[in-house]
Amino acid sequence: MVALSLKISIGNVVKTMQFEPSTMVYDACRMIRERVPEAQMGQPNDFGLFLSDEDPKKGIWLEAGKALDYYMLRNGDTMEYKKKQRPLKIRMLDGTVKTVMVDDSKTVTDMLMTICARIGITNYDEYSLVREIMEEKKEEVTGTLKKDKTLLRDEKKMEKLKQKLHTDDELNWLDHGRTLREQGIDDNETLLLRRKFFYSDQNVDSRDPVQLNLLYVQARDDILNGSHPVSFDKACEFAGYQCQIQFGPHNEQKHKPGFLELKDFLPKEYIKQKGERKIFMAHKNCGNMSEIEAKVRYVKLARSLKTYGVSFFLVKEKMKGKNKLVPRLLGITKECVMRVDEKTKEVIQEWSLTNIKRWAASPKSFTLDFGDYQDGYYSVQTTEGEQIAQLIAGYIDIILKKKKSKDHFGLEGDEESTMLEDSVSPKKSTVLQQQFNRVGKAELGSVALPAIMRTGAGGPENFQVGTMPQPQLQITSGQMHRGHMPPL
């Protein structure tokens, strides 16, 4: 086999080296360290080979477990041997900014494990990163659309409605399956860490102050910006807890009308209602409650809201009996998909996630198939189909992961249970027995777990619309299955 001649760039030094095309990337890095003095720095695992491109988004890190010929390299190609670690600025919802060192070669999913571990968050799979678009860029996009005449009058109305409703399609979530580089995130950009999936947040309390604070700030912001519609009385109750959190116990001499900047404590529709006295009454009722306890109460009250934990997308659906599209909110939670009135946020219809057989996203639509649970498909017009699909897939992945961890040991998550160890002679075997802290009867039963079916590329039925099959998750009869389905 003809040797591959590659230029290896290390800082300002460039060396030409010969490799067998079948050489694994890991071995190539080892050879570089052995032969080039300038490469003998830091820990070997912190360095890798990077194939750059004129477009920074197209530059790639070579995977250690793959051979050089996998990347179709040619003689004379230049690769950089450099450190994979890069600083990433993370903004928390409370405004604090933390700098975390992350592996530039990893996908966002893998990075979130590192980021959340450094911050003190265990359930990293429920969080994501948001890229905040500057106002100038938003105007540029709008201007371009106007110029191309693709933003029609009703689309302008939809954009205004999105801004008013603060839907999830307003957030520019990063793609978990791609690297920061592939998404054009440079070293100077700051990303927002935000909870995307509301699955285990019910377990967050005073014992987890980091996540409690993140939940409080996210709920507070969503209440103030109108994402969670609340009555005037409820808004004042929330504001009372907020005062306790920010200022401590109520002080009659200090906390009087005129003290609060009401726009920071009430949704804008209630600012003119002069609710400061009502807020201070609620504040006074908190007594000597600690900041942590006030946050617990605030979050508990927020969880009681019908819109809590729902990710909303503004879509268009066909009006029954008419050839007309009307605005509708599509809501996604850990339990269901729902149709919601865009004006009142009242639930019109909902389907359990376990009833979804499959779904498909296209650039301009999103379609759900409920199999035997409903005749026909539910299809909407939206440009956020992929984002909706990722959210549903994310919830189902979390459900599958939790189910798998329980099925693996057959445990119910009893953290207080103990393990008893005993030595059995004469063969010195070790017996491990799970000791539960509860009383019950022994029962006979099958230890076999339900099988997980995997269908072929066409699934149980063959949809003819679309040509490229795409992986989807299927859920039928309460069990979850992974299969493939062409776009609808």
Side-chain angles (χ1 to χ4, degrees):
M1 191 179 286
V2 180
L4 191 62
S5 179
L6 299 172
K7 293 178 181 178
I8 307 299
S9 170
I10 307 163
N12 297 323
V13 178
V14 178
K15 300 279 186 180
T16 300
M17 294 181 65
Q18 305 282 326
F19 299 95
E20 291 292 330
S22 59
T23 303
M24 303 301 284
V25 172
Y26 175 85
D27 293 323
C29 289
R30 178 179 50 78
M31 292 162 66
I32 292 168
R33 289 183 74 88
E34 289 173 355
R35 298 179 190 177
V36 183
E38 289 84 357
Q40 295 164 8
M41 52 188 173
Q43 294 296 318
N45 290 340
D46 291 341
F47 288 80
L49 285 173
F50 181 72
L51 185 61
S52 58
D53 190 274
E54 289 181 5
D55 182 353
K57 290 184 184 179
K58 294 180 181 176
I60 57 168
W61 286 96
L62 276 57
E63 293 182 36
K66 290 183 176 173
L68 292 175
D69 58 4
Y70 172 84
Y71 296 96
M72 295 183 286
L73 299 170
R74 299 178 181 177
N75 284 324
D77 279 352
T78 301
M79 289 192 300
E80 296 178 56
Y81 178 80
K82 63 179 186 177
K83 201 168 186 177
K84 293 185 285 187
Q85 299 290 316
R86 63 170 276 185
L88 180 65
K89 292 177 182 176
I90 302 293
R91 187 171 73 80
M92 312 298 283
L93 284 168
D94 60 6
T96 58
V97 176
K98 299 178 184 292
T99 301
V100 180
M101 294 302 291
V102 295
D103 188 333
D104 191 48
S105 66
K106 300 289 187 183
T107 61
V108 170
T109 295
D110 294 330
M111 280 186 188
L112 280 166
M113 292 176 67
T114 303
I115 293 165
C116 290
R118 299 279 167 83
I119 292 169
I121 298 170
T122 51
N123 50 326
Y124 69 90
D125 48 358
E126 295 183 38
Y127 286 82
S128 189
L129 296 170
V130 177
R131 190 176 194 180
E132 299 178 283
I133 302 174
M134 304 300 289
E135 287 301 318
E136 306 87 75
K137 289 186 179 179
K138 282 184 182 177
E139 286 173 16
E140 282 174 23
V141 172
T142 307
T144 307
L145 289 167
K146 282 178 182 173
K147 212 175 284 184
D148 294 341
K149 295 183 180 179
T150 56
L151 195 62
L152 303 174
R153 187 182 302 167
D154 64 326
E155 289 178 319
K156 287 182 184 177
K157 287 180 182 176
M158 288 288 280
E159 286 301 316
K160 285 182 180 178
L161 199 51
K162 279 182 187 179
Q163 290 170 13
K164 181 182 176 183
L165 295 168
H166 296 279
T167 53
D168 245 55
D169 38 15
E170 208 183 30
L171 297 171
N172 192 18
W173 296 103
L174 292 194
D175 185 339
H176 282 208
R178 297 196 294 159
T179 65
L180 295 182
R181 185 176 293 276
E182 287 171 332
Q183 298 179 69
I185 311 294
D186 60 37
D187 290 357
N188 299 318
E189 195 161 344
T190 301
L191 300 174
L192 176 68
L193 181 70
R194 184 181 173 91
R195 181 182 281 271
K196 184 175 184 179
F197 302 99
F198 288 80
Y199 187 81
S200 64
D201 63 287
Q202 300 285 343
N203 303 325
V204 176
D205 56 22
S206 58
R207 294 169 296 180
D208 190 350
V210 174
Q211 284 207 75
L212 176 63
N213 184 58
L214 292 175
L215 266 181
Y216 158 69
V217 175
Q218 190 162 332
R220 181 199 67 196
D221 291 351
D222 286 344
I223 286 164
L224 293 179
N225 69 25
S227 295
H228 297 318
V230 294
S231 66
F232 175 66
D233 288 346
K234 190 74 77 177
C236 291
E237 189 178 352
F238 277 115
Y241 285 126
Q242 189 180 336
C243 286
Q244 186 76 8
I245 293 163
Q246 293 184 208
F247 311 126
H250 181 72
N251 184 329
E252 295 279 2
Q253 304 302 317
K254 186 178 178 183
H255 301 141
K256 296 178 179 179
F259 177 79
L260 297 178
E261 188 71 51
L262 285 178
K263 67 180 178 63
D264 297 328
F265 290 84
L266 289 174
K268 62 181 180 182
E269 63 265 31
Y270 299 137
I271 291 174
K272 292 181 180 179
Q273 291 194 28
K274 298 180 180 179
E276 204 165 358
R277 288 184 184 278
K278 200 172 184 67
I279 292 171
F280 283 137
M281 282 176 64
H283 182 197
K284 191 175 182 179
N285 289 338
C286 293
N288 292 317
M289 192 184 294
S290 69
E291 179 186 336
I292 291 286
E293 180 58 28
K295 285 179 181 177
V296 170
R297 297 284 186 91
Y298 191 103
V299 170
K300 185 178 179 181
L301 189 60
R303 286 186 183 125
S304 69
L305 299 174
K306 61 186 178 183
T307 52
Y308 179 82
V310 186
S311 297
F312 288 110
F313 297 88
L314 187 63
V315 300
K316 282 184 176 180
E317 65 176 22
K318 190 173 181 290
M319 187 183 285
K320 196 172 182 180
K322 293 184 179 180
N323 191 22
K324 183 181 178 183
L325 293 172
V326 292
R328 185 71 67 223
L329 279 176
L330 185 70
I332 315 288
T333 75
K334 65 179 180 181
E335 296 170 340
C336 65
V337 175
M338 55 181 74
R339 292 171 61 227
V340 179
D341 186 280
E342 76 282 0
K343 293 175 183 173
T344 63
K345 288 200 173 177
E346 291 291 336
V347 177
I348 300 170
Q349 186 179 10
E350 62 179 56
W351 302 275
S352 171
L353 277 185
T354 56
N355 292 354
I356 299 176
K357 187 176 180 182
R358 51 189 172 178
W359 62 85
S362 77
K364 292 187 177 180
S365 69
F366 181 75
T367 304
L368 286 164
D369 175 13
F370 299 98
D372 297 334
Y373 292 97
Q374 178 176 306
D375 293 332
Y377 311 124
Y378 176 64
S379 190
V380 295
Q381 187 184 94
T382 176
T383 56
E384 307 298 332
E386 189 57 41
Q387 198 174 324
I388 298 170
Q390 286 177 11
L391 193 67
I392 294 175
Y395 270 122
I396 292 175
D397 280 344
I398 292 171
I399 292 168
L400 285 170
K401 194 183 294 181
K402 304 290 183 190
K403 185 176 185 296
K404 187 178 178 182
S405 65
K406 283 185 180 179
D407 285 348
H408 187 66
F409 293 109
L411 304 181
E412 294 293 331
D414 186 355
E415 294 178 356
E416 296 180 357
S417 61
T418 57
M419 295 297 289
L420 301 181
E421 184 174 322
D422 193 14
S423 183
V424 183
S425 54
K427 297 190 177 180
K428 302 295 182 186
S429 299
T430 299
V431 176
L432 291 177
Q433 180 182 354
Q434 181 73 19
Q435 184 72 27
F436 294 98
N437 294 330
R438 56 179 180 266
V439 179
K441 293 180 180 179
E443 294 180 6
L444 292 174
S446 172
V447 295
L449 298 176
I452 293 184
M453 304 294 293
R454 286 175 171 80
T455 59
E461 300 170 14
N462 189 16
F463 279 30
Q464 299 299 323
V465 184
T467 54
M468 290 293 288
Q470 61 186 41
Q472 297 293 347
L473 286 174
Q474 297 178 322
I475 311 177
T476 54
S477 305
Q479 291 183 3
M480 301 169 191
H481 307 298
R482 189 181 296 273
H484 294 275
M485 162 186 158
L488 298 175

